[in-house]
Amino acid sequence: MCGIVGYIGKSGSLQTLVDGLKRLEYRGYDSAGVVYQNGNGMELYKTKGKLKELQSILPNPVPVVKVGLGHTRWATHGIPSSINAHPHSIDGIAVVHNGIIENYRELKSCLIEEGHEFVSETDSEVVPQLISSYIRKGLSFREAIKAAIARLRGSYALGILSKSNPEMLFAVRKGSPLVVGLGEGDFYFASDIPAILPYTNRFIFMEDGHLCTLTEDGVEICNVDSGITIPVDQKTVEVDWVPAMAEKNGFDHFMLKEIHEQPHAIMDTIGELIENPRGLLENLGISTKTIIDLRKIQIVACGTSYHAAMIGRYIIENLAHIPVDIDIASEYRHRDPIVENGTLFISITQSGETADTLAAQRVAKEKGAWTLTICNVVGSTSTREAHSVLYTRAGPEIGVASTKAFTSQVADVCVLALALGLRRGRLSFREADTFKNLLLKIPGLVEKTLKNESKIKDMARSLIYSHGFLFLGRGLSYPVALEGALKLKEISYMHAEGYPAGEMKHGPIALIEEGLPVVVVVPVDELYEKTLSNIEEVKARGGKVIAVTDEPGCLHGKVDEIIEVPSTHSSLSPFLTVIPLQLLAYYVGVLRGCDVDQPRNLAKSVTVE
């Protein structure tokens, strides 16, 4: 979950590393550091706090840097401190690490017996200590790296440089994301594409067990176990993102920018798929036999993507009449799931690197399921390992709290459900065309919904001192309520619970007291009248009801606040009802003085267990 960046070349400077870290700070921001070769040796700077604290201690003017490493940390082992910050430097060997070394205690004990002295509380420090140990035993720097990583258990993306090898930089991956960028005489690696997007659009997504050697002349990748060299040209991917996608473009925060990007993200996602939904499955490589034999779908995800999966279950069962199970990835992977013949397994992951989701996908694949991933990052691990890939086209999402990723994932699920319904004869062409045309109108309706922003901001001012929130919804509005509660928790640090409105009398109603904000998602659908009854129950107990609805007329005088959204097909209502909840969470967080782009204790991609 930390962010690492490396550079080697002829035209870089220290600012190259710092700018890369700025674009990675969403991965961790409790400490930061850089190390680089200055022509006479290594210089290392690191400190507790956000990147601005590091910048305050860096040399001025900015020096030319031909090889260097940077790191921004999300603490796992050891409190945030300057000592625990990366890079870790031992005997002229500097290392940055993203991941967890599971057997570090065992390795640390062995190294202490050899006479090594440790200075930090981190698991990461064992890596440079191990490399140093093997160099003392006579191995070359490269061979020492191989010997060291052979002893590591866990997950890691490592960047390594040495005072004695100033013309080389090394990167190695197992389980944690790492991408190599190919420039013209300049070469890079980083945890995520945005860090190096301003310098190149040509990338190599490193695979587990691969070691990359970077010099001014180019990169070489080999399989650590076999020693076989990997052809770079065959692994190079051109990404169509542009640097402006990773900038705020006049918005106060990335989160607000990404909320407003949703109309384009949805349209870009469905645009290339919606013209021929009937042929989508074949285009994904799913055979006619697999479609005919399909008996069940399993969808697995984490966090916001899990809420998209819940919506997916409703829509797929409604349009395609296929039974759908959904599971939280961390739960799925740690039991013995039943994967029957005729199972389609779908993983939903923005980054394609979420550790639990990847592990669940591997379990399902081993058990014989056809695996399909819905993902935003071309070349990521989930896209390489799944049988089929359905991309979202949201562009880089920098804000830690997902917004456009969520609606883009739901867009993909809608097109997939449409394709399944058509191919299995559950939808007529007329029904499919009607749904398709309604889906194509969604981006415009999202634009219209975003015009409620100023009203929602004013509403947020009256809520910032509340002691808690309850979010309620039925049917498709239940996962929207969960998503609204999650967003508020993530970026305002306020207690919020999401529940099915029908479960209120089974416990949550005890939470309702005078003035408690209760956000009810209540579009006009088959459950509308039942949800109105739940609103009456809340009001009878003094709750302050904020209704998100496409039919405000029936609610005037019955609720305290109304946020109106446009009407659409009931299966598509989440696209519209979630927007006010995203904006509400954003403005409550901002008005409470929270850092909404970098909320405490969170990182964008959960790449460790």
Side-chain angles (χ1 to χ4, degrees), residues 98-374:
N98 170 37
I100 290 179
I101 307 302
E102 295 174 355
N103 62 332
Y104 85 97
R105 293 182 181 86
E106 169 193 329
L107 295 171
K108 186 173 181 177
S109 295
C110 294
L111 288 162
I112 289 173
E113 288 181 8
E114 290 182 17
H116 290 256
E117 295 183 2
F118 283 74
V119 296
S120 79
E121 304 168 284
T122 70
D123 58 327
S124 307
E125 191 186 344
V126 299
V127 180
Q129 295 277 15
L130 267 176
I131 296 171
S132 173
S133 171
Y134 282 111
I135 289 175
R136 292 180 191 181
K137 294 172 184 175
L139 272 66
S140 69
F141 187 47
R142 183 186 175 94
E143 293 305 313
I145 291 173
K146 290 183 177 181
I149 61 178
R151 294 181 64 183
L152 303 180
R153 292 201 307 270
S155 62
Y156 49 82
L158 300 169
I160 309 166
L161 65 79
S162 167
K163 180 179 178 180
S164 60
N165 293 265
E167 74 290 348
M168 305 176 78
L169 191 61
F170 294 90
V172 63
R173 172 207 159 120
K174 181 189 174 186
S176 294
L178 197 60
V179 58
V180 175
L182 307 177
E184 298 296 331
D186 298 282
F187 302 94
Y188 314 82
F189 63 78
S191 298
D192 282 336
I193 289 173
I196 50 181
L197 191 57
Y199 312 112
T200 182
N201 69 339
R202 298 172 60 236
F203 301 97
I204 300 169
F205 293 86
M206 288 187 63
E207 299 182 18
D208 284 355
H210 284 185
L211 172 66
C212 181
T213 306
L214 300 90
T215 69
E216 287 185 0
D217 298 322
V219 303
E220 178 184 291
I221 298 176
C222 74
N223 184 300
V224 175
D225 292 332
S226 68
I228 295 173
T229 299
I230 310 299
V232 170
D233 290 344
Q234 294 179 18
K235 294 291 183 179
T236 301
V237 175
E238 290 195 10
V239 174
D240 61 1
W241 294 354
V242 296
M245 291 179 172
E247 305 296 337
K248 292 180 184 176
N249 293 343
F251 287 91
D252 290 337
H253 297 92
F254 280 111
M255 182 179 178
L256 186 60
K257 171 179 175 270
E258 289 156 5
I259 289 172
H260 280 269
E261 286 177 340
Q262 288 176 106
H264 293 292
I266 295 166
M267 182 54 76
D268 288 347
T269 295
I270 65 176
E272 64 182 45
L273 306 175
I274 200 68
E275 291 307 315
N276 181 25
R278 183 175 173 80
L280 174 65
L281 302 178
E282 286 80 1
N283 291 339
L284 293 173
I286 303 175
S287 68
T288 300
K289 184 178 186 305
T290 300
I291 297 167
I292 292 171
D293 292 344
L294 183 57
R295 296 292 177 267
K296 184 171 74 171
I297 293 174
Q298 294 180 336
I299 311 179
V300 167
C302 299
T304 286
S305 296
Y306 178 71
H307 299 154
M310 295 178 72
I311 292 170
R313 173 172 60 186
Y314 283 99
I315 296 174
I316 292 171
E317 290 188 342
N318 184 32
L319 297 187
H321 293 263
I322 302 170
V324 179
D325 291 338
I326 59 170
D327 223 325
I328 292 173
S330 57
E331 294 297 318
Y332 183 94
R333 64 171 295 196
H334 288 301
R335 59 184 175 85
D336 186 17
I338 298 172
V339 180
E340 300 170 335
N341 291 336
T343 296
L344 171 64
F345 176 93
I346 302 173
S347 62
I348 305 181
T349 165
Q350 187 279 140
S351 67
E353 302 292 352
T354 306
D356 288 317
T357 305
L358 287 173
Q361 180 176 293
R362 289 164 185 155
V363 168
K365 192 173 184 180
E366 289 171 1
K367 289 177 174 284
W370 186 274
T371 55
L372 165 67
T373 188
I374 294 175

Side-chain angles (χ1 to χ4, degrees), residues 146 376 520 535:
K146 290 183 177 181
N376 193 48
V520 185
I535 288 173

